[in-house]
Amino acid sequence: MTRSIAIACDHGGIDLKGILKADLTTAGFEVHDFGTDSNDSVDYPDFGYKMADAIRNKVVDRGVLICGSGIGISMAANRYPDVRAAPVHDVTSARLGREHNDANVVCFGARLIGNELARECLQVFLDTRFEGGRHIQRVEKLSNPPV
Ligand code: RB5
């Protein structure tokens, strides 16, 4: 089971980051928090890249990203071949992101999702296994786009 996890957000995700970080800590995870830590306006790619770097360097194998919509910060993280970041809005997308896409990063839009739903989605994301089988070849192609 994953015991080490990275988390990062922009200024739109500060409150939700605190809530999810507390849940992860309570559950026994070693949480690597890459900020941001204030309400000052920042650029979401900077924080998506910090988290993605931790995946690339194998410091962690799972991550959580939060921005206002969950879109920009997932775009940033997905520029790294080792990252499969899934923007998640409900428990079904959290489950399918793991079962079919072997997502290693879950992304939330703090301005779109309620705190309780985000907490539940994170739990589902962490508890759900990749199905493998026909999905393996597809997931491998994500790391090897044609040049
Ligand atoms: C910041 O205002 C906002 O644009 C950002 O959090 C995110 O929603 C971008 O995708």
Side-chain angles (χ1 to χ4, degrees), residues 44 48 65 67 70-79 83 85-87 105-107:
Y44 55 80
L65 291 174
C67 67
I71 296 171
I73 206 158
S74 66
M75 287 180 169
N78 275 322
R79 300 182 74 83
V83 171
V105 177
V106 63
C107 307

Side-chain angles (χ1 to χ4, degrees), residues 10-13 42 44 66-73 111:
D10 74 358
H11 53 285
V42 293
Y44 55 80
I66 309 153
C67 67
S69 64
I71 296 171
I73 206 158
R111 295 174 185 155

Side-chain angles (χ1 to χ4, degrees), residues 143-147:
S143 301
N144 299 290
V147 284

